[in-house]
């Protein structure tokens, strides 16, 4: 078997690197924009007097970088060709995201908010696969920033267990218009402060615990009855993660997104792509921490002897580097297999390995960032190095990305035989 990367993928990585040096790095250095990435990053990004939301200047800078990438033909790489993309595969995206994250913090790629000059668009995939023609017409606008569709799945009392959600949608008619009335509450509805719509999941039939009976709706964010109750201040700021209530929200029938009762198919479409690509980014961030630690250990000579000669420095980094190499193979193999299957097949036969990649990559990244802080001593502990930022972000992923326990539960389901082929 040939495990080397395709020559055209290697060439594209070089093209991306040249684009970043030519157009993104100068923007990062202009107008003191480096404040968003150096030791001032958390304060520069966060409007503490406005609920802890991202500052307008920060989000405008990210949009400007995206527009440059779109003009250069890179932003839409994973998007289908009919929407201006390149049909980028999960394998290529995994390699690209690891490559970017291994560069460290920068305007080319910021893991805190999934920003990248090669975009990650799971909502576009949802619209393309499950949307009607009028909903697919929103794809270009969602890439350009005209539309912002948030993901309303998680709930305060049930977390990642979507099958017990309390949000309900009931068929109704208002002013001679057929539609649905929705009541419920959602948590961590990321981006609601700038959202135009929320992809809102609600139970329309069945009982608690049933997979069937959950339906997705595209709810305009300014609909009467939609209210942001609070923004949750988080381990790493700024926050764009609110608790949102939906009180007697009426939507017409054309707000239906996908089939009635089959909404979890849309959710799985979102999370599978997100989790394998996020795992690749976590791996890249871990590699960055490992490489920076090795570099520093070779340069730093306390008491006249390089840190790198100390086995207490060497061996933990050896373990982390070994785990990174093994994880890279698992991520790329899993991403390649995902490219051969449809969403139902992935959920039935491959989702345990997607979960393996995700939870272990997040864990590895936290361990690598923690080790980097220790190797770098006092400076590693300071915000003048990026390790605390990387640690906090990926420690948050271990809690919120599924969470780690949910990911391990998925693996256990396959391992012990109550999930997997023939169990759906």
């Amino acid at each position: 078997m040939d495990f080397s990367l395709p020559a055209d993928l290697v060439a594209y990585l070089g093209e991306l690197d040249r684009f970043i040096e030519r157009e993104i790095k100068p923007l990062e250095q202009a107008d003191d924009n480096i404040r968003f990435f150096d030791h001032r990053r958390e304060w520069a990004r966060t409007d503490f007097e406005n609920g802890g939301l991202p500052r307008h200047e920060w989000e405008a800078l990210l949009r400007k970088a995206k527009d440059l990438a779109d003009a250069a033909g890179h932003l839409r790489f994973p998007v289908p060709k009919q929407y201006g993309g390149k049909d980028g595969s999960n394998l290529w995206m995994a390699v690209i995201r690891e490559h970017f994250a291994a560069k460290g913090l920068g305007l080319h790629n910021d893991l805190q908010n999934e920003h990248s000059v090669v975009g990650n668009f799971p909502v576009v995939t949802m619209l393309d696969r499950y949307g009607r023609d009028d909903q697919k017409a929103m794809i270009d606008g969602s890439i350009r920033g005209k539309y912002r569709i948030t993901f309303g799945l998680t709930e305060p009392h049930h977390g990642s267990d979507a099958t017990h959600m309390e949000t309900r949608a009931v068929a109704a008619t208002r002013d001679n218009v057929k539609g649905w009335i929705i009541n419920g509450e959602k948590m961590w509805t990321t981006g609601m402060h700038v959202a135009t719509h929320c992809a809102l999941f609600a139970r329309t039939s069945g009982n608690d615990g049933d997979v069937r009976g959950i339906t997705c709706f595209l709810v305009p964010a300014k609909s009467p009855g939609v209210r942001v109750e609070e923004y949750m201040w988080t381990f790493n700021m700024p926050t764009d993660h609110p608790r949102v209530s939906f009180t007697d929200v009426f939507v017409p029938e054309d707000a239906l997104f996908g089939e009635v009762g089959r909404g979890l198919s849309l959710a799985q479409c979102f999370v599978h792509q997100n989790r394998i690509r996020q795992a690749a980014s976590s791996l890249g961030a871990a590699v960055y921490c490992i490489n920076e630690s090795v570099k520093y250990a070779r340069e730093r000579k306390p008491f006249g002897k390089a840190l790198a000669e100390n086995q207490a420095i060497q061996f933990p980094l050896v373990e982390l580097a070994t785990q990174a190499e093994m994880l890279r193979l698992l991520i790329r193999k899993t991403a390649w297999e995902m490219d051969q299957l449809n969403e139902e097949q992935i959920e039935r036969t491959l989702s345990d390995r997607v979960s393996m990649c995700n939870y272990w990559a997040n864990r590895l990244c936290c361990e690598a960032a923690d080790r980097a802080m220790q190797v770098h001593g006092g400076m590693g502990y300071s915000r003048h190095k990026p390790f605390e930022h990387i640690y906090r972000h990926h420690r948050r992923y271990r809690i919120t990305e599924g969470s780690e326990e949910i990911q391990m539960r998925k693996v256990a389901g396959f391992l012990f035989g109550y999930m997997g082929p023939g169990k759906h």
Side-chain angles (χ1 to χ4, degrees):
M1 298 179 69
D2 184 2
F3 290 97
S4 60
L5 295 178
D8 50 350
L9 173 52
V10 174
Y12 189 55
L13 294 177
E15 181 182 341
L16 289 170
D17 287 344
R18 291 188 292 274
F19 164 73
I20 291 168
E21 291 299 319
R22 184 177 65 250
E23 299 194 42
I24 301 301
K25 285 295 183 182
L27 178 60
E28 181 181 289
Q29 297 296 325
D31 302 321
D32 196 32
N33 287 332
I34 198 64
R35 71 190 185 277
F36 295 112
F37 304 99
D38 64 17
H39 62 281
R40 301 168 290 172
R41 53 189 168 262
E42 189 166 26
W43 294 90
R45 297 178 180 195
T46 308
D47 190 346
F48 288 101
E49 304 304 317
N50 186 30
L53 286 169
R55 291 190 188 276
H56 172 74
E57 297 86 351
W58 168 231
E59 295 193 314
L61 177 64
L62 298 179
R63 185 68 255 172
K64 191 170 184 179
K66 286 184 173 73
D67 290 343
L68 288 173
D70 202 11
H74 300 308
L75 183 68
R76 304 182 188 219
F77 173 80
V79 174
K81 289 182 179 179
Q82 65 260 40
Y83 308 117
K86 298 181 180 180
D87 283 324
S89 67
N90 283 300
L91 173 60
W92 278 49
M93 281 294 289
V95 173
I96 291 168
R97 286 174 70 85
E98 180 193 340
H99 180 73
F100 279 179
K103 291 176 176 289
L105 300 186
L107 186 54
H108 66 287
N109 187 74
D110 192 84
L111 300 180
Q112 187 177 12
N113 53 23
E114 286 295 315
H115 162 78
S116 179
V117 295
V118 174
N120 184 35
F121 300 109
V123 169
V124 168
T125 305
M126 291 169 61
L127 288 169
D128 180 46
R129 293 183 182 177
Y130 297 98
R132 302 184 307 272
D133 287 345
D134 60 311
Q135 292 169 334
K136 291 180 181 180
M138 300 174 69
I139 288 176
D140 184 72
S142 67
I143 296 171
R144 293 181 183 274
K146 177 182 177 181
Y147 300 114
R148 175 68 185 267
I149 302 173
T150 64
F151 195 65
L153 181 67
T154 304
E155 295 192 348
H157 300 297
H158 300 284
S160 299
D161 180 9
T163 63
H164 285 79
M165 68 174 55
E166 296 178 18
T167 301
R168 295 289 190 270
V170 179
T173 300
R174 181 176 290 181
D175 298 328
N176 295 319
V177 176
K178 290 184 177 181
W180 303 80
I181 292 178
I182 305 173
N183 283 278
E185 197 170 47
K186 297 293 180 179
M187 287 283 286
W188 314 114
T189 317
T190 304
M192 198 67 182
H193 67 298
V194 291
T196 58
H197 297 78
C198 176
L200 180 65
F201 295 83
R203 183 165 290 284
T204 52
S205 65
N207 302 311
D208 288 346
D210 290 349
V211 173
R212 295 290 180 92
I214 293 171
T215 303
C216 188
F217 300 89
L218 272 183
V219 179
K222 303 301 182 183
S223 298
V226 177
R227 176 185 171 89
V228 173
E229 298 291 346
E230 61 179 326
Y231 281 94
M232 312 302 294
W233 285 42
T234 55
F235 194 38
N236 54 332
M237 295 290 280
T239 179
D240 59 353
H241 311 298
R243 177 170 60 88
V244 185
S245 63
F246 300 84
T247 305
D248 293 331
V249 176
F250 178 80
V251 293
E253 284 188 323
D254 63 7
L256 181 66
F257 189 11
E259 296 181 40
V260 174
R262 300 290 298 272
L264 286 188
S265 295
L266 280 76
Q268 294 294 348
C269 172
F270 184 100
V271 300
H272 284 142
Q273 276 197 4
N274 235 26
R275 286 175 180 168
I276 194 65
R277 294 172 183 180
Q278 188 261 310
S281 292
S282 297
L283 170 62
V287 168
Y288 170 80
C289 293
I290 294 167
N291 290 344
E292 288 296 302
S293 297
V294 170
K295 178 182 175 182
Y296 182 81
R298 296 176 70 179
E299 296 172 349
R300 182 72 165 173
K301 296 181 179 180
F303 309 107
K305 183 179 179 180
L307 280 176
E309 296 180 30
N310 190 329
Q311 289 182 347
I313 297 294
Q314 294 174 356
F315 285 7
L317 291 173
V318 167
E319 289 191 8
L320 292 170
T322 302
Q323 291 181 41
E325 288 294 333
M326 292 189 293
L327 181 60
R328 178 179 295 112
L329 291 177
L330 179 61
I331 288 174
R332 292 180 181 180
K333 180 176 183 293
T334 303
W336 178 82
E337 289 180 315
M338 289 175 68
D339 291 328
Q340 319 306 313
L341 305 174
N342 62 37
E343 210 57 49
E344 290 186 1
Q345 291 171 326
I346 292 172
E347 173 63 16
R348 190 170 63 251
T349 66
L350 198 61
S351 60
D352 61 326
R353 273 172 283 167
V354 175
S355 292
M356 287 179 186
C357 293
N358 189 275
Y359 91 79
W360 195 259
N362 291 332
R363 185 179 292 186
L364 175 64
C365 189
C366 286
E367 292 178 0
D370 182 65
R371 176 56 55 180
M373 285 188 275
Q374 295 179 53
V375 170
H376 283 75
M379 287 302 294
Y381 172 74
S382 78
R383 296 193 178 193
H384 292 264
K385 294 290 184 180
F387 308 124
E388 58 80 30
H389 180 80
I390 293 171
Y391 175 85
R392 286 189 293 143
H393 174 67
H394 290 274
R395 189 66 185 86
R396 186 260 289 183
Y397 263 155
R398 289 182 65 181
I399 299 169
T400 64
E401 183 55 35
S403 63
E404 183 169 296
E405 290 78 9
I406 296 295
Q407 303 283 17
M408 295 177 74
R409 185 177 178 181
K410 174 68 72 78
V411 177
F414 277 67
L415 187 64
F416 291 98
Y418 56 86
M419 295 179 68
K423 303 297 182 182
H424 288 252

